[in-house]
């Protein structure tokens, strides 16, 4: 039986073919864990319905035109005026600056495990094959830790390029990421890379070339932070319907039309061949899981109306960006995260919200300025993945 949202999708794809709203293999329902050789095409968003313009909305064609103009303006393709609506050219230029002086860097990869077996590429790092400047912090979800070990972790292994720490068996890799931040602050590596160890369709590892690309960008780029895709080209538009953005040209369609929905193309994005996933953000400074709303409450308010990002759980962040927050703040965040009694059960909604809503925005460069733009997109997102061939190169295909 078709769900009501799926029925809307099919009806809309018939009535407005230019919307390209047919369900496809890039379904956002396949998130952390993947492991679906034949995914259910009707499983969109695992219960968190994304947006779509209401089928009764009186100006569908106008919405599509405005959507494309807004996307282009956010990426610097055209001018769509408005008070602080889009990232400034100065912010883009700042991220694209040339390093004043090249120096040796330390790069650390943070991963979460359920046992002490590393992914195959991590053994090469430990053996020094990726260079002496690259290391791994592996956090092993371990049941039955003592109270002290649950507060401090248990050291399992330590070498020049590896530390393996047993931590409580709680949640998924977002909990390991917060644990690492609390353990290491303020003594981070020059760049910390938080990455997944699994692949879609039950593959054992994320493709090695993806992790190597992240390391290369860390060595050679100047981006303060990068949110990376996974094995699917899913760029999310996290929409927060804060009335502070009521004058933004897409506010009515997204926030006042009673819309629920799906995938939206923009001609400026890969010629409309790959949809954008416009989804309702479940986390603000005052809404959502306590630990995630606590994190976003540290940022300038209001948060962006549209946060454009890859939110698959793979991030690269430079030390100066991580150290915007104090070591005591990271410990407080970890303590709040572990206050909820999830146990070993996978809390999918919390995981998705951490990866899609929280981490990409928390470490965004724009948090250093006086206010967020209405449509926020980082320079790295624009530079690294705006063309299909670059995304395929990242996947090693």
């Amino acid at each position: 039986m078709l769900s009501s949202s799926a029925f809307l999708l099919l009806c809309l794809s018939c009535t407005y073919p230019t919307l390209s709203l047919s369900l496809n293999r890039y379904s956002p329902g396949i998130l952390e864990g993947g492991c679906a050789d034949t995914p259910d095409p009707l499983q969109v968003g695992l219960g968190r319905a994304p947006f779509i313009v209401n089928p009764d909305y009186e100006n569908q064609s106008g919405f599509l035109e405005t959507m494309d103009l807004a996307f282009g303006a956010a990426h610097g393709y055209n001018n769509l005026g408005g008070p602080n609506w889009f990232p400034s050219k100065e912010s883009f230029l700042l991220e694209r600056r040339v390093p004043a002086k090249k120096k040796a860097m330390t790069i650390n990869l943070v991963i979460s495990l359920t046992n002490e077996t590393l992914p195959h590429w991590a053994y090469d790092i430990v053996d020094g094959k990726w260079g002496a400047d690259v290391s791994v912090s592996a956090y092993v979800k371990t049941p039955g830790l003592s109270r002290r070990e649950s507060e401090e972790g248990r050291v399992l292994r330590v070498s020049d390029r590896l530390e393996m720490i047993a931590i409580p068996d709680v949640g998924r890799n977002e909990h390991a990421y917060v644990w690492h931040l609390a353990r290491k602050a303020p003594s981070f590596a020059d760049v910390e890379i938080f990455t997944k160890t699994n692949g879609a369709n039950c593959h054992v590892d994320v493709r090695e070339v993806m992790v190597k690309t992240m390391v290369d960008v860390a060595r050679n780029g100047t981006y303060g932070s990068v949110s990376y895709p996974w094995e699917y080209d899913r760029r999310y538009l996290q929409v927060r319907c804060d009335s502070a953005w009521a004058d933004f040209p897409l506010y009515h369609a997204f926030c006042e039309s009673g819309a629920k929905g799906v995938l939206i193309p923009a001609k400026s994005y890969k010629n409309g061949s790959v949809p954008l996933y416009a989804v309702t953000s479940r986390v603000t400074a005052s809404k959502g899981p306590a630990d995630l709303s606590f994190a976003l409450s540290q940022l300038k308010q209001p948060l962006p109306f549209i946060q454009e990002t890859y939110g698959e759980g793979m991030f690269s962040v430079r030390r100066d960006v991580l150290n915007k927050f104090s070591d005591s703040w990271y410990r407080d965040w970890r303590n709040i995260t572990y206050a909820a009694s999830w146990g070993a059960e996978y809390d999918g909604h919390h995981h998705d919200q951490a990866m899609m809503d929280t981490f990409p925005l928390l470490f965004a460069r724009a948090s250093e300025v006086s206010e967020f733009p209405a449509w926020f997109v980082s320079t790295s997102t624009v530079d690294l993945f705006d063309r299909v061939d670059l995304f395929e190169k990242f996947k090693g295909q």
Side-chain angles (χ1 to χ4, degrees):
M1 179 179 292
L2 293 180
S3 66
S4 59
S5 60
F7 179 77
L8 277 176
L9 306 187
L10 295 176
C11 289
L12 281 168
S13 63
C14 295
T15 308
Y16 301 103
T18 55
L19 280 170
S20 301
L21 294 180
S22 58
L23 296 164
N24 61 24
R25 69 187 183 92
Y26 296 110
S27 168
I30 309 169
L31 293 174
E32 171 63 29
C35 207
D37 291 318
T38 54
D40 180 358
L42 298 180
Q43 190 181 32
V44 179
L46 294 178
R48 52 175 296 171
F51 278 111
I52 196 173
V53 175
N54 190 307
D56 298 325
Y57 186 51
E58 67 277 6
N59 191 12
Q60 285 276 359
S61 61
F63 167 79
L64 290 177
E65 293 170 0
T66 304
M67 178 71 194
D68 200 58
L69 283 171
F71 184 90
H75 289 237
Y77 298 149
N78 57 53
N79 294 316
L80 185 63
N84 192 35
W85 280 354
F86 304 104
S88 67
K89 292 182 179 179
E90 290 77 16
S91 67
F92 277 169
L93 290 174
L94 178 64
E95 286 292 291
R96 290 169 174 149
R97 67 194 185 282
V98 177
K101 184 178 180 180
K102 193 69 176 177
K103 65 174 185 177
M105 298 182 64
T106 55
I107 300 169
N108 184 59
L109 288 97
V110 182
I111 58 177
S112 174
L113 305 172
T114 57
N115 56 54
E116 297 184 34
T117 302
L118 296 169
H120 69 86
W121 49 262
Y123 288 105
D124 287 343
I125 293 175
V126 175
D127 291 341
K129 295 179 181 179
W130 290 24
D133 56 339
V134 184
S135 59
V136 176
S137 294
Y139 292 86
V140 183
K141 300 297 180 66
T142 307
L145 294 179
S146 68
R147 180 172 180 177
R148 180 176 179 180
E149 290 172 333
S150 294
E151 294 174 351
E152 301 176 3
R154 181 204 301 162
V155 177
L156 299 174
R157 282 192 254 169
V158 176
S159 66
D160 289 342
R161 286 175 291 276
L162 172 68
E163 59 174 356
M164 185 174 285
I165 309 296
I167 62 173
D169 189 9
V170 178
R172 291 282 178 100
N173 52 343
E174 79 277 12
H175 298 99
Y177 293 175
V178 174
W179 187 282
H180 180 78
L181 293 166
R183 278 190 66 242
K184 304 301 287 190
S187 302
F188 298 110
D190 289 322
V191 180
E192 298 279 354
I193 295 176
F194 303 86
T195 188
K196 300 166 77 164
T197 57
N198 64 337
N201 302 320
C202 302
H203 297 166
V204 176
D205 298 311
V206 166
R207 294 182 177 91
E208 181 175 328
V209 68
M210 297 168 70
V211 183
K212 282 187 173 179
T213 298
M214 297 169 76
V215 171
D216 289 342
V217 171
R219 282 185 173 131
N220 301 311
T222 62
Y223 305 114
S225 63
V226 183
S227 295
Y228 282 89
W230 188 30
E231 295 189 347
Y232 299 110
D233 194 355
R234 296 186 292 222
R235 191 178 295 185
Y236 299 101
L237 304 182
Q238 295 287 338
V239 181
R240 294 182 173 91
C241 290
D242 189 319
S243 60
W245 302 116
D247 292 333
F248 190 74
L250 293 169
Y251 186 89
H252 173 68
F254 278 141
C255 300
E256 296 178 356
S257 65
K260 290 184 181 293
V262 69
L263 320 174
I264 299 174
K267 290 182 291 184
S268 299
Y269 178 48
K270 303 184 180 179
N271 300 314
S273 61
V274 178
L276 300 161
Y277 292 82
V279 297
T280 310
S281 178
R282 297 289 186 90
V283 183
T284 68
S286 58
K287 181 180 73 174
D291 56 319
L292 303 183
S293 60
F294 166 80
L296 292 187
S297 70
Q298 311 305 302
L299 303 180
K300 303 294 182 181
Q301 306 294 319
L303 301 178
F305 172 57
I306 292 178
Q307 168 195 345
E308 180 184 341
T309 185
Y310 289 101
E312 307 285 8
M314 295 166 62
F315 312 102
S316 175
V317 192
R318 297 174 73 91
R319 181 195 302 164
D320 61 316
V321 177
L322 291 170
N323 280 337
K324 292 184 300 185
F325 306 103
S326 68
D327 52 347
S328 61
W329 183 85
Y330 282 120
R331 288 195 297 272
D332 289 343
W333 188 21
R334 185 195 66 182
N335 293 340
I336 294 172
T337 298
Y338 286 96
S341 56
W342 291 307
E345 185 177 352
Y346 168 39
D347 188 328
H349 288 296
H350 180 277
H351 170 80
D352 292 347
Q353 291 158 27
M355 298 310 183
M356 297 168 67
D357 299 313
T358 308
F359 276 93
L361 193 58
L362 184 65
F363 298 119
R365 277 284 187 183
S367 59
E368 297 180 357
V369 301
S370 59
E371 56 186 351
F372 280 110
W375 185 311
F376 173 63
V377 57
S378 67
T379 310
S380 62
T381 298
V382 175
D383 288 350
L384 297 177
F385 299 109
D386 259 3
R387 298 200 309 275
V388 175
D389 58 326
L390 287 179
F391 177 79
E392 296 300 331
K393 180 179 179 181
F394 171 68
K395 293 197 302 179
Q397 295 184 353

